[in-house]
Amino acid sequence: MPEPPSTSARNAQPAGDVEAGDIRALLDAIPALVWRACADGSINFVNRRWIEHTGLSLDETRGWKWTDAIHPEDRPQLVLKWQTILKSEQPGEAEARLRRADGAYRWFLLRCEPLRDGHQQIIGWCGTNTDIENRKRAEFDLSHIKQILDETQQMTRCGSMGLNFSTGEVFWSDEGARIFGFEPGEQPPVELIWQRLHPDDRWLSVRSVERVRRGEPDSDYDVRLVMPDGTIRVVRRVSHPPSGGAEPGTSMCAVIDVTEARAAEAALQEAQAELAHVTRVTSLGELASSIAHEILQPLSAIVTLGEASLRWLTRQQPNIAEARFGLEQMIASTRRATEIVHRVRALSKKHTTESIAFELNPVLEDALTLIRGELVRKGVSLQLELEQGLGAVLGDRVQLQQVVINLVMNGIQAMDGVETERVLTLRSKSCDPHRAAVEIEDRGRGISAAAGERLFEPFFTTKPEGLGMGLAICRSIIDAHGGRLWFTRAQVGTVFHFTLPKN
């Protein structure tokens, strides 16, 4: 701690027409700790409130003994600050903890002003100490809350930011700055932030600003950021509805770094697509004999028609018309066999999910083409109740065919061993202007209450040879299409339902 000046103290007398006693009473009545010092900074006067608060008399405070009332941790810095003010000969202030008479310390704001004579020479100093303990506690609480908020935002990768439209000033939390690739406390111009937005996504921010300017509610959306190193960061912007306390001309929102979540979702979708592909191939393996039968039928027809056409042509009087009819039927049979092969290939090969608009009924009929032989082999009658004029639905044709094949195969297998008539009904209908529905109804033994609760769980199966993935994958496919898959119990058997959004 710096040594106090050695210059002796000197008392200054009050001036003017006011009596010294009146001045003393006035100083004692001021709601602050009032003191006076000589030109060298040594104390030569304190008011009654100082004495009452610190429990130190004027003699115990005089000179530089007042420093004994300062908290040991604050004392060196305060003495240095006081010496700096003395050298500057300018007003000054400092904050320090001052000991109370009971030994407790409270924060005070110390302010001082130089006293000058007619020649502007400093003849002394006067000052006040104001209790700011409540303010310091509030500042500490606020700082503590901000620290918790900053740590929470950093853990959740969620920040906040805002924009003042009139000044172009951007303000944000520390995590908000980090998400955009800036240091906490950094205030980059709005143009630099604009450059961080992916060129294809900037229109989203433009639309958002225009909505806020018009006082309209904004929507949440994802936007890509191009970071300085060229990497892409995906950020979700969550709009904040305007409140009465919001400053006019400003916009506030939360920003969440969802890059890892998007990567995880992509990996999950890839895994689901891989699993769905395996399931499709497995289903095709189960249908191998039925598919072979469906292909052999047109191939056998081709051979028969070819032989007949040759006989018509090799007659003494060739019958061109009959030969031509035979050739046309051969071409039709070839196309039928080709279509079956194409459908099998479409189901067996890997492909990226694509959402397109298509008519629902033809997709259902195409799926049945591959199962028709299984229906015949199992002695199951098929009833089609396809509503016409459904309109187009939106989705992936191959994945929806997989769902239909899986549900129809389940219905066929549910009727194994049933002695009554085996009938499977496939329906399509319109739920409302926005949704179409498909129903697959069997007349099997039904589903028990215990099995019904777990029916769509992965790896749960009621079949001895089953994997328990078919219905789980079907539900994930329908969910991804924005639809719903569920089952109900019919009077005899079970009905599986799923809905799809219309285009």
Side-chain angles (χ1 to χ4, degrees), residues 301-332:
I302 291 171
V303 173
T304 302
L305 291 168
E307 291 174 347
S309 298
L310 281 175
R311 286 195 297 271
W312 287 115
L313 291 174
T314 56
R315 294 180 64 175
Q316 188 173 1
Q317 185 70 30
N319 191 330
I320 303 299
E322 289 291 345
R324 180 173 181 176
F325 176 77
L327 291 173
E328 289 174 349
Q329 292 300 307
M330 288 174 62
I331 293 172

Side-chain angles (χ1 to χ4, degrees), residues 121-180:
Q121 296 297 313
I122 292 180
I123 60 174
W125 295 81
C126 66
T128 60
N129 298 353
T130 305
D131 191 322
I132 58 170
E133 178 69 20
N134 292 339
R135 193 199 80 187
K136 294 293 286 188
R137 287 184 179 180
E139 289 177 353
F140 174 80
D141 291 343
L142 184 62
S143 175
H144 184 59
I145 292 172
K146 183 180 182 301
Q147 181 182 0
I148 294 175
L149 178 62
D150 289 343
E151 291 176 355
T152 302
Q153 288 192 350
Q154 192 165 4
M155 286 189 294
T156 59
R157 304 303 303 272
C158 174
S160 56
M161 65 179 300
L163 172 65
N164 186 312
F165 297 133
S166 58
T167 64
E169 178 189 5
V170 175
F171 45 94
W172 46 26
S173 65
D174 291 350
E175 184 60 20
R178 281 190 285 263
I179 287 175
F180 274 76

Side-chain angles (χ1 to χ4, degrees), residues 255-292:
V255 286
I256 308 170
D257 186 348
V258 295
T259 307
E260 294 181 0
R262 289 293 172 271
E265 288 175 5
L268 177 60
Q269 289 176 356
E270 183 177 351
Q272 288 177 334
E274 184 70 24
L275 186 57
H277 171 252
V278 172
T279 307
R280 288 198 301 272
V281 173
T282 303
S283 299
L284 290 174
E286 295 174 357
L287 293 171
S289 60
S290 298
I291 294 171

Side-chain angles (χ1 to χ4, degrees), residues 272 275-276 279 399-400 402-404 406-407 410 447 451-458 460 468-488 495-501:
Q272 288 177 334
L275 186 57
T279 307
Q399 289 188 351
L400 293 178
Q402 176 181 356
V403 171
V404 174
N406 190 286
L407 296 178
N410 284 351
I447 299 171
E453 294 178 356
R454 303 184 57 195
L455 198 59
F456 294 100
E457 292 182 9
F460 175 78
M469 291 303 298
L471 287 176
I473 292 174
C474 288
R475 171 167 277 186
S476 68
I477 290 174
I478 297 301
D479 287 347
H481 281 71
R484 177 174 169 243
L485 171 63
W486 74 101
F487 78 93
T488 58
V495 184
F496 279 86
H497 316 252
F498 67 85
T499 59
L500 294 170

